[in-house]
């Protein structure tokens, strides 16, 4: 069952169930809807599916606020539906990875409900309670969703910590009973045959126990990669992941290469691989997401170089542009109008030719775009709604400025329903979609893509195949050939038998570049491109690249 390194040549597909496919007319996606699309995923060629949370939840944060880890949210279906999905996926050779959210629980979880207002509850120290200091919050740590990270429990006059929404209370991992509960939860799903786990903000679970004020920032330097985080991960890994041979990917918020070398160490003592987000902050101003600016291309290449060379031989990274928290990459770094197809393919090639395990977020394989909402009322995401209120109503940022920022940065950009066909509601539901569908669904949809051999879909299908056929993609070294070039991202991957080049024009005008001399004479074949190639692709001194052109040469 557990083939030692299956995930090193695999491609994983992320499904956000609420927006994937509604088998009825609820207007939200469900497990039966996913089952109905397994053949589509098999056709794409993905090896595993990562499901974001489907557990019982009040859905304040769309399932990342769990109130019962052992029950499926009836909005998505039943436990029986899940077992059928698991069985049918396995029959197709597709593995299932579940999302485990154990930095915090919903405040509707029975543990929190018992702890609230009762100092003697056996679950009181499952959470983090602090007395007021000078009648106020215990420190100045901020919630990622705006406002302070502490909420008062008036009955006991103590605050509880919530690094996210106040409805998401942080668990106290110092408590061995909490760690045992986590082992029991993961074992329950592993016993069902789940093949792996995505661990939500798992590098936040260890906090500085004196909870100091952060006079330099929002507190995250005291809770990301905290003092006991590796100890906790090794404990869980040894007790569960290694026992079941689960593949694991940790979401590491604001982390470092050194910590990720340890989190994803090849000895398997902690996790299989990590998500880090530094490459997705090149369009932030001074690390602040809630800004609008052009992306820093040179910095993007520097970050890729740092992580690719830093993890090679030491750890394992997830390769991704999109997920349910990030805007659609073709709108963010590509060109979602004139060059949508070309730029979607180029962006895909430029990370799929790196070392790591690629993740495709639902719709990315279609070149789906941001929806370009114009009204606040169109947004549903708690982070976006809270930040609009904080920025506009409290800080006085002009409405128009914040609408432009939301249109670029809101998490709802990637949560619009999957576009299946050009029928009403894009074939996503027979009801009213919970979130407005992008207006371009008549042209951008799976049905149209499957019929068009030049679609983004078949380009991704080819990338997935190449990873299985060309070993240098998995085990080769990494070299940035033109680190200073302000338009071209050209990398070389080498092992003792193969040299692969991936040359990418990240911009919308034709450009030429000169490769290092040692590549001038090699006769190479073009494995994949988003433009027709001349048949003799000698690597001449000059390379002319058309707008958003990508070439993969071996
Ligand atoms: O995300 C972690 C997280 O911090 C992201 O929300 C991201 O940093 C933020 O959106 C950037 O402003 C995970 C889940 O992926 C996310 O959906 C949850 O909201 C969050 O944890 C809390 O569980």
């Amino acid at each position: 069952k557990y083939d030692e390194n299956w995930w090193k040549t695999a491609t994983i597909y992320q499904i956000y169930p609420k927006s994937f496919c509604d088998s009825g007319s609820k207007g939200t996606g469900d497990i039966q809807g996913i089952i109905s699309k397994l053949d589509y995923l098999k056709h794409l060629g993905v090896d595993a599916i990562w499901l974001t949370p489907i557990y019982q939840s009040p859905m304040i944060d769309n399932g990342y606020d769990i109130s019962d880890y052992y029950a499926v949210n009836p909005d998505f279906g039943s436990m029986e539906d899940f077992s059928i999905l698991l069985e049918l996926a396995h029959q197709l050779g597709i593995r299932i990875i579940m999302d485990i959210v154990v930095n915090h629980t919903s405040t509707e979880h029975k543990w929190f409900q018992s702890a609230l207002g009762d100092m003697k509850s056996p679950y009181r120290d499952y959470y983090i309670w602090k007395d007021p200091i000078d009648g106020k919050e215990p420190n100045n740590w901020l919630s990622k969703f705006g406002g302070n990270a502490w909420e008062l429990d008036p009955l006991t006059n103590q605050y509880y910590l919530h690094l996210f929404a106040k409805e998401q209370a942080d668990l106290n991992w110092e408590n061995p009973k909490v760690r045992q509960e986590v082992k029991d939860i993961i074992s329950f799903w592993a016993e069902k045959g789940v093949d792996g786990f995505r661990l939500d903000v798992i590098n936040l679970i260890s906090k500085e126990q004196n909870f100091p004020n952060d006079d330099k920032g929002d507190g995250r330097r005291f809770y990301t990669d905290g003092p006991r985080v590796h100890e906790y991960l090794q404990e869980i890994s040894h007790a569960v992941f290694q026992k079941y041979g689960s593949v694991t990917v940790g979401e590491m918020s604001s982390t470092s290469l050194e910590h990720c070398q340890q989190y994803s160490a090849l000895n398997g003592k902690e996790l299989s691989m990590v998500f880090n987000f530094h490459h997705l902050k090149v369009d932030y101003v001074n690390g602040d997401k809630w800004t609008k600016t052009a992306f820093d291309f040179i910095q993007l290449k520097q970050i890729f170089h740092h992580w690719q060379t830093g993890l090679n031989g030491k750890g394992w990274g997830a390769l991704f542009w999109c997920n349910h928290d990030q805007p659609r990459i073709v709108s963010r770094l590509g060109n979602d109008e004139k060059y949508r197809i070309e730029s979607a393919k180029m962006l895909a090639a430029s990370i799929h030719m790196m070392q790591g395990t690629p993740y495709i977020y639902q719709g990315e394989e279609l070149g789906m775009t941001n929806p370009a909402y114009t009204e606040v009322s169109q947004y549903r995401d708690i982070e976006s709604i809270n930040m609009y209120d904080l920025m506009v109503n409290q800080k006085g940022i002009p409405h128009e400025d914040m609408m432009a920022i939301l249109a670029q940065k809101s998490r709802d950009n990637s949560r619009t329903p999957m576009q299946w066909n050009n029928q009403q509601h894009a074939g996503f539901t027979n009801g009213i979609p919970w979130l407005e569908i992008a207006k371009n669904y008549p042209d951008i949809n799976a049905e149209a893509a499957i019929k068009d051999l030049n679609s983004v879909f078949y380009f991704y299908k080819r990338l997935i195949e190449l990873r299985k056929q060309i070993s240098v993609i998995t085990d080769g070294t990494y070299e940035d050939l033109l680190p200073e070039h302000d338009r071209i991202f050209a990398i070389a991957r080498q092992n003792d038998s193969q040299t692969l080049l991936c040359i990418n024009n990240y911009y919308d005008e034709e450009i030429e570049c000169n490769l290092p001399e040692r590549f001038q004479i090699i006769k190479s074949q073009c494995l994949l491109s988003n433009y027709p190639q001349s048949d003799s692709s000698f690597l001449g001194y000059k390379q002319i690249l058309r707008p958003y052109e990508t070439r993969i040469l071996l």
Side-chain angles (χ1 to χ4, degrees):
K1 176 174 165 350
Y2 179 59
D3 157 10
E4 187 54 35
N5 282 323
W6 68 269
W7 36 270
K8 288 192 170 175
T9 54
T11 298
I12 298 174
Y13 190 88
Q14 182 193 352
I15 290 180
Y16 193 66
K18 188 169 184 178
S19 302
F20 191 66
C21 180
D22 174 8
S23 63
S25 50
K26 291 182 311 311
T28 52
D30 52 32
I31 294 169
Q32 283 296 339
I34 297 170
I35 289 170
S36 73
K37 300 298 180 183
L38 282 175
D39 288 339
Y40 167 81
L41 297 174
K42 188 64 185 172
H43 186 35
L44 179 58
V46 297
D47 302 280
I49 294 168
W50 155 29
L51 282 182
T52 56
I54 56 170
Y55 317 100
Q56 185 62 284
S57 161
M59 300 297 273
I60 302 287
D61 187 18
N62 279 346
Y64 284 92
D65 48 321
I66 296 169
S67 54
D68 184 347
Y69 291 88
Y70 296 95
V72 173
N73 180 340
D75 290 352
F76 293 124
S78 66
M79 186 63 88
E80 174 63 15
D81 290 333
F82 174 74
S83 302
I84 293 167
L85 169 62
L86 191 62
E87 177 55 31
L88 292 177
H90 283 169
Q91 284 175 13
L92 288 169
I94 296 175
R95 291 174 163 97
I96 297 287
I97 292 168
M98 298 283 273
D99 210 320
I100 294 289
V101 187
V102 286
N103 172 68
H104 48 270
T105 75
S106 164
T107 47
E108 291 188 22
H109 195 287
K110 66 175 192 296
W111 300 335
F112 188 83
Q113 287 301 308
S114 162
L116 191 63
D118 178 1
M119 301 288 273
K120 294 189 176 34
S121 161
Y123 298 110
R124 182 78 178 181
D125 62 1
Y126 272 36
Y127 298 93
I128 297 166
W129 303 92
K130 293 292 169 207
D131 292 329
I133 294 178
D134 302 332
K136 290 197 310 181
E137 290 86 359
N139 66 27
N140 66 345
W141 295 7
L142 295 181
S143 155
K144 280 203 177 204
F145 293 165
N148 206 299
W150 299 91
E151 184 71 12
L152 184 67
D153 168 14
L155 280 178
T156 60
N157 194 36
Q158 282 197 316
Y159 288 89
Y160 67 86
L161 179 68
H162 61 87
L163 297 178
F164 294 93
K166 66 181 183 313
E167 298 88 349
Q168 294 169 289
D170 278 56
L171 282 168
N172 170 24
W173 274 70
E174 300 289 312
N175 182 344
K177 290 184 192 137
V178 166
R179 302 201 296 274
Q180 185 54 51
E181 297 277 9
V182 170
K183 293 171 196 171
D184 296 346
I185 291 164
I186 297 173
S187 300
F188 173 83
W189 292 99
E191 281 291 338
K192 280 187 167 301
V194 165
D195 303 280
F197 300 97
R198 179 264 187 183
L199 301 163
D200 184 62
V201 286
I202 198 66
N203 70 316
L204 306 191
I205 58 178
S206 167
K207 279 85 172 171
E208 278 289 346
Q209 286 307 295
N210 52 12
F211 294 90
N213 250 354
D214 183 0
D215 51 12
K216 291 195 196 117
D218 63 4
R220 74 182 67 193
R221 62 196 178 96
F222 295 117
Y223 57 74
T224 53
D225 304 330
R228 298 181 66 184
V229 69
H230 294 290
E231 174 199 335
Y232 294 156
L233 278 179
Q234 286 164 29
E235 178 183 334
I236 306 296
S237 178
H238 181 260
V240 188
F241 303 143
Q242 292 168 43
K243 174 181 169 190
Y244 291 97
S246 310
V247 64
T248 49
V249 53
E251 182 197 30
M252 304 298 174
S253 179
S254 306
T255 189
S256 70
L257 172 62
E258 292 65 33
H259 278 291
C260 285
Q261 287 167 339
Q262 194 176 350
Y263 290 134
S264 65
L266 301 176
N267 62 17
K269 286 269 184 292
E270 295 187 17
L271 303 176
S272 312
M273 63 187 107
V274 291
F275 284 117
N276 82 77
F277 294 80
H278 296 278
H279 63 299
L280 294 175
K281 297 186 176 177
V282 294
D283 57 356
Y284 287 15
V285 176
N286 301 327
D288 178 4
K289 165 176 177 175
W290 300 101
T291 52
K292 189 171 181 317
T293 181
F295 73 96
D296 182 332
F297 179 57
I298 299 292
Q299 187 193 30
L300 179 70
K301 295 197 286 185
Q302 289 166 342
I303 291 166
F304 281 138
H305 179 269
H306 181 63
W307 285 86
Q308 281 288 303
T309 55
L311 285 180
N312 184 26
K314 294 206 175 86
W316 201 257
L319 305 170
F320 71 110
W321 285 122
C322 299
N323 65 28
H324 61 293
D325 297 327
Q326 300 292 335
R328 296 252 175 214
I329 197 65
V330 72
S331 300
R332 185 177 192 179
L333 301 191
N335 173 310
D336 62 8
E337 282 155 4
K338 184 178 178 190
Y339 294 106
R340 185 181 64 82
I341 305 266
E342 291 83 355
S343 63
K345 291 177 179 178
M346 181 280 294
L347 289 163
S350 63
I351 58 170
H352 277 247
M353 288 302 110
M354 293 181 186
Q355 184 176 79
T357 299
Y359 285 70
I360 300 172
Y361 176 68
Q362 66 182 49
E364 181 186 337
E365 79 279 10
L366 304 178
M368 271 176 64
T369 68
N370 290 348
Y373 290 157
T374 54
E375 306 293 329
V376 188
S377 61
Q378 292 172 289
Y379 289 98
R380 294 288 175 277
D381 170 28
I382 183 167
E383 180 190 44
S384 300
I385 291 165
N386 285 5
M387 291 312 288
Y388 179 90
D389 178 52
L390 182 71
M391 304 273 283
V392 174
N393 299 337
Q394 296 180 41
K395 291 186 177 175
I397 304 284
H399 165 81
E400 296 71 24
D401 294 1
M402 190 56 187
M403 291 312 291
I405 292 169
L406 282 173
Q408 191 190 62
K409 294 283 180 33
S410 169
R411 302 192 300 177
D412 279 332
N413 280 312
S414 58
R415 299 177 179 184
T416 60
M418 184 71 176
Q419 294 163 200
W420 293 107
N421 56 44
N422 62 5
Q423 307 300 305
Q424 193 189 30
H425 305 315
F428 164 70
T429 178
N430 299 324
I432 304 301
W434 72 279
L435 184 65
E436 264 181 57
I437 295 173
K439 293 193 174 10
N440 53 30
Y441 76 84
D443 302 315
I444 304 174
N445 61 71
E447 192 173 86
I450 298 284
K451 290 177 191 154
D452 170 8
L453 290 180
N454 267 324
S455 62
V456 180
F457 178 93
Y458 287 109
F459 193 88
Y460 269 92
K461 183 178 174 68
R462 189 77 187 104
L463 289 171
I464 294 166
E465 290 163 353
L466 285 177
R467 178 165 292 278
K468 291 184 168 52
Q469 295 161 358
I470 314 277
S471 64
V472 74
I473 298 171
T474 300
D475 61 25
T477 56
Y478 176 95
E479 183 186 355
D480 184 337
L481 301 180
L482 299 165
E484 300 309 315
H485 201 290
D486 65 355
R487 290 285 180 275
I488 305 289
F489 181 26
I491 62 174
R493 305 288 317 282
Q494 285 189 278
N495 61 19
D496 52 15
S497 59
Q498 293 174 323
T499 296
L500 179 141
L501 299 188
C502 184
I503 312 170
N504 305 282
N505 178 357
Y506 263 64
Y507 290 87
D508 61 358
E509 70 261 350
E510 183 165 295
I511 195 111
E512 74 178 38
C513 64
N514 309 325
L515 291 176
E517 302 209 353
R518 71 179 189 283
F519 290 110
Q520 288 178 49
I521 47 157
I522 299 172
K523 171 88 182 102
S524 70
Q525 64 173 124
C526 184
L527 292 178
L528 188 59
S529 174
N530 54 359
Y531 281 88
Q533 293 297 315
S534 55
D535 53 5
S536 69
S537 54
F538 258 97
L539 279 176
Y541 188 63
K542 280 194 189 331
Q543 293 289 313
I544 308 284
L545 284 142
R546 285 157 285 194
Y548 297 103
E549 181 168 359
T550 182
R551 280 184 213 150
I552 301 172
L553 306 167
L554 187 71

